[in-house]
Short mmCIF file of all heavy atoms in Angstrom, two decimals:
data_model
loop_
_atom_site.label_atom_id
_atom_site.label_comp_id
_atom_site.label_asym_id
_atom_site.label_seq_id
_atom_site.Cartn_x
_atom_site.Cartn_y
_atom_site.Cartn_z
N SER A 1536 22.71 -21.03 -16.96
CA SER A 1536 21.33 -20.55 -17.18
C SER A 1536 20.86 -19.49 -16.12
O SER A 1536 21.58 -19.40 -15.10
CB SER A 1536 20.29 -21.64 -17.20
OG SER A 1536 20.26 -22.19 -15.93
N ALA A 1537 19.96 -18.64 -16.43
CA ALA A 1537 19.53 -17.57 -15.53
C ALA A 1537 18.11 -17.09 -15.73
O ALA A 1537 17.62 -17.22 -16.95
CB ALA A 1537 20.44 -16.33 -15.74
N TYR A 1538 17.41 -16.78 -14.80
CA TYR A 1538 16.14 -16.04 -15.06
C TYR A 1538 16.20 -14.76 -14.30
O TYR A 1538 16.39 -14.69 -13.07
CB TYR A 1538 14.94 -16.92 -14.44
CG TYR A 1538 13.62 -16.40 -14.77
CD1 TYR A 1538 13.16 -16.51 -16.08
CD2 TYR A 1538 12.80 -15.67 -13.81
CE1 TYR A 1538 11.95 -15.92 -16.50
CE2 TYR A 1538 11.67 -15.21 -14.20
CZ TYR A 1538 11.09 -15.22 -15.46
OH TYR A 1538 9.96 -14.76 -15.86
N VAL A 1539 15.98 -13.67 -14.99
CA VAL A 1539 16.07 -12.34 -14.50
C VAL A 1539 14.64 -11.71 -14.73
O VAL A 1539 14.21 -11.55 -15.83
CB VAL A 1539 17.26 -11.43 -15.16
CG1 VAL A 1539 17.07 -10.12 -14.64
CG2 VAL A 1539 18.63 -12.13 -14.88
N LYS A 1540 14.15 -11.19 -13.60
CA LYS A 1540 12.88 -10.63 -13.69
C LYS A 1540 12.98 -9.24 -13.18
O LYS A 1540 13.30 -8.99 -12.02
CB LYS A 1540 11.82 -11.44 -12.89
CG LYS A 1540 10.39 -10.91 -12.86
CD LYS A 1540 9.46 -11.74 -12.05
CE LYS A 1540 8.04 -11.21 -12.06
NZ LYS A 1540 7.18 -12.06 -11.23
N VAL A 1541 12.60 -8.21 -14.02
CA VAL A 1541 12.56 -6.86 -13.57
C VAL A 1541 11.28 -6.37 -13.32
O VAL A 1541 10.26 -6.60 -14.15
CB VAL A 1541 13.27 -5.87 -14.70
CG1 VAL A 1541 13.42 -4.47 -14.21
CG2 VAL A 1541 14.52 -6.49 -15.14
N ARG A 1542 10.97 -5.84 -12.09
CA ARG A 1542 9.61 -5.58 -11.67
C ARG A 1542 9.64 -4.39 -10.72
O ARG A 1542 10.69 -3.90 -10.20
CB ARG A 1542 8.99 -6.79 -10.95
CG ARG A 1542 10.03 -7.44 -9.99
CD ARG A 1542 9.40 -8.78 -9.48
NE ARG A 1542 10.46 -9.70 -9.20
CZ ARG A 1542 10.26 -10.78 -8.46
NH1 ARG A 1542 9.08 -11.09 -8.06
NH2 ARG A 1542 11.29 -11.60 -8.15
N ASP A 1543 8.44 -3.89 -10.43
CA ASP A 1543 8.23 -2.66 -9.70
C ASP A 1543 8.62 -2.91 -8.19
O ASP A 1543 8.81 -1.84 -7.35
CB ASP A 1543 6.98 -1.94 -9.82
CG ASP A 1543 6.81 -1.41 -11.24
OD1 ASP A 1543 7.90 -0.93 -11.76
OD2 ASP A 1543 5.75 -1.23 -11.77
N ARG A 1544 8.50 -4.04 -7.67
CA ARG A 1544 9.08 -4.30 -6.38
C ARG A 1544 9.83 -5.71 -6.32
O ARG A 1544 9.61 -6.49 -7.31
CB ARG A 1544 8.03 -4.25 -5.26
CG ARG A 1544 6.90 -5.29 -5.33
CD ARG A 1544 5.88 -5.24 -4.24
NE ARG A 1544 4.71 -5.89 -4.70
CZ ARG A 1544 3.46 -5.79 -4.22
NH1 ARG A 1544 3.32 -4.99 -3.09
NH2 ARG A 1544 2.48 -6.35 -4.67
N ASN A 1545 10.56 -5.88 -5.34
CA ASN A 1545 11.50 -7.10 -5.48
C ASN A 1545 10.73 -8.48 -5.30
O ASN A 1545 11.40 -9.46 -5.71
CB ASN A 1545 12.45 -7.04 -4.34
CG ASN A 1545 13.55 -5.95 -4.80
OD1 ASN A 1545 14.41 -6.27 -5.60
ND2 ASN A 1545 13.56 -4.71 -4.20
N SER A 1546 9.49 -8.46 -4.98
CA SER A 1546 8.77 -9.78 -5.00
C SER A 1546 7.28 -9.46 -5.17
O SER A 1546 6.89 -8.41 -4.95
CB SER A 1546 9.16 -10.55 -3.65
OG SER A 1546 7.93 -10.76 -2.98
N TYR A 1547 6.61 -10.50 -5.66
CA TYR A 1547 5.07 -10.32 -5.70
C TYR A 1547 4.78 -9.24 -6.61
O TYR A 1547 3.88 -8.34 -6.22
CB TYR A 1547 4.63 -10.15 -4.17
CG TYR A 1547 3.11 -10.37 -3.95
CD1 TYR A 1547 2.50 -11.38 -4.71
CD2 TYR A 1547 2.42 -9.57 -3.13
CE1 TYR A 1547 1.17 -11.67 -4.47
CE2 TYR A 1547 1.12 -9.80 -2.97
CZ TYR A 1547 0.40 -10.80 -3.55
OH TYR A 1547 -0.90 -11.10 -3.49
N ALA A 1548 5.39 -9.18 -7.78
CA ALA A 1548 4.96 -8.20 -8.73
C ALA A 1548 5.18 -8.91 -10.09
O ALA A 1548 5.91 -9.63 -10.27
CB ALA A 1548 5.70 -6.91 -8.64
N PHE A 1549 4.28 -8.60 -11.08
CA PHE A 1549 4.47 -9.11 -12.38
C PHE A 1549 5.73 -8.35 -13.09
O PHE A 1549 5.98 -7.26 -12.76
CB PHE A 1549 3.21 -9.02 -13.27
CG PHE A 1549 2.06 -9.87 -12.69
CD1 PHE A 1549 1.14 -9.44 -11.74
CD2 PHE A 1549 2.14 -11.14 -13.18
CE1 PHE A 1549 0.32 -10.38 -11.20
CE2 PHE A 1549 1.27 -12.11 -12.64
CZ PHE A 1549 0.25 -11.76 -11.70
N ALA A 1550 6.19 -9.07 -14.11
CA ALA A 1550 7.43 -8.51 -14.76
C ALA A 1550 7.07 -7.31 -15.63
O ALA A 1550 6.15 -7.23 -16.23
CB ALA A 1550 7.84 -9.64 -15.59
N LEU A 1551 7.99 -6.38 -15.40
CA LEU A 1551 8.09 -5.33 -16.61
C LEU A 1551 8.67 -5.95 -17.75
O LEU A 1551 8.05 -5.94 -18.93
CB LEU A 1551 8.84 -4.17 -16.06
CG LEU A 1551 8.41 -3.31 -14.85
CD1 LEU A 1551 9.39 -2.46 -14.35
CD2 LEU A 1551 7.18 -2.53 -15.37
N VAL A 1552 9.91 -6.66 -17.49
CA VAL A 1552 10.52 -7.55 -18.55
C VAL A 1552 10.99 -8.65 -17.75
O VAL A 1552 11.69 -8.35 -16.64
CB VAL A 1552 11.53 -6.67 -19.23
CG1 VAL A 1552 12.38 -7.64 -20.16
CG2 VAL A 1552 10.99 -5.62 -20.04
N SER A 1553 11.09 -9.88 -18.27
CA SER A 1553 11.88 -10.97 -17.72
C SER A 1553 12.62 -11.64 -18.87
O SER A 1553 12.07 -11.58 -20.03
CB SER A 1553 10.93 -11.81 -16.89
OG SER A 1553 10.11 -12.55 -17.76
N VAL A 1554 13.67 -12.29 -18.48
CA VAL A 1554 14.35 -13.02 -19.45
C VAL A 1554 14.89 -14.44 -18.88
O VAL A 1554 15.53 -14.33 -17.75
CB VAL A 1554 15.61 -12.19 -19.92
CG1 VAL A 1554 16.52 -13.13 -20.82
CG2 VAL A 1554 15.10 -10.96 -20.75
N ALA A 1555 14.54 -15.48 -19.56
CA ALA A 1555 15.13 -16.84 -19.21
C ALA A 1555 16.20 -17.06 -20.37
O ALA A 1555 16.05 -16.93 -21.51
CB ALA A 1555 14.05 -17.86 -19.31
N ALA A 1556 17.45 -17.31 -19.79
CA ALA A 1556 18.49 -17.57 -20.72
C ALA A 1556 19.41 -18.75 -20.38
O ALA A 1556 19.64 -18.97 -19.23
CB ALA A 1556 19.39 -16.29 -20.80
N GLY A 1557 19.76 -19.53 -21.40
CA GLY A 1557 20.65 -20.62 -21.20
C GLY A 1557 21.72 -20.55 -22.25
O GLY A 1557 21.37 -20.29 -23.47
N LEU A 1558 22.94 -20.86 -21.86
CA LEU A 1558 24.13 -20.90 -22.85
C LEU A 1558 24.74 -22.26 -22.90
O LEU A 1558 25.09 -22.90 -21.85
CB LEU A 1558 25.09 -19.90 -22.44
CG LEU A 1558 24.76 -18.42 -22.61
CD1 LEU A 1558 25.87 -17.54 -22.00
CD2 LEU A 1558 24.58 -18.04 -24.03
N VAL A 1559 24.75 -22.86 -24.13
CA VAL A 1559 25.56 -24.07 -24.22
C VAL A 1559 26.96 -23.70 -24.68
O VAL A 1559 27.05 -23.01 -25.81
CB VAL A 1559 24.89 -25.09 -25.29
CG1 VAL A 1559 25.66 -26.33 -25.29
CG2 VAL A 1559 23.44 -25.28 -24.85
N LEU A 1560 27.94 -23.88 -23.87
CA LEU A 1560 29.22 -23.41 -24.16
C LEU A 1560 30.30 -24.39 -24.41
O LEU A 1560 30.17 -25.57 -23.93
CB LEU A 1560 29.72 -22.47 -22.89
CG LEU A 1560 28.94 -21.36 -22.53
CD1 LEU A 1560 29.28 -20.79 -21.22
CD2 LEU A 1560 29.14 -20.19 -23.58
N GLU A 1561 31.17 -24.07 -25.22
CA GLU A 1561 32.36 -24.91 -25.43
C GLU A 1561 33.55 -23.99 -25.16
O GLU A 1561 33.92 -23.10 -26.02
CB GLU A 1561 32.38 -25.42 -26.80
CG GLU A 1561 33.40 -26.55 -26.95
CD GLU A 1561 33.42 -27.12 -28.39
OE1 GLU A 1561 33.88 -26.32 -29.28
OE2 GLU A 1561 32.95 -28.20 -28.65
N GLY A 1562 34.15 -24.07 -23.96
CA GLY A 1562 35.09 -23.07 -23.57
C GLY A 1562 34.35 -21.75 -23.53
O GLY A 1562 33.38 -21.57 -22.87
#
Side-chain angles (χ1 to χ4, degrees):
Chain A
S1536 61
Y1538 187 72
V1539 176
K1540 180 177 179 184
V1541 185
R1542 42 187 153 169
D1543 286 332
R1544 68 179 155 194
N1545 284 284
S1546 115
Y1547 198 37
F1549 288 93
L1551 293 166
V1552 170
S1553 71
V1554 172
L1558 291 172
V1559 182
L1560 297 166
E1561 191 180 71

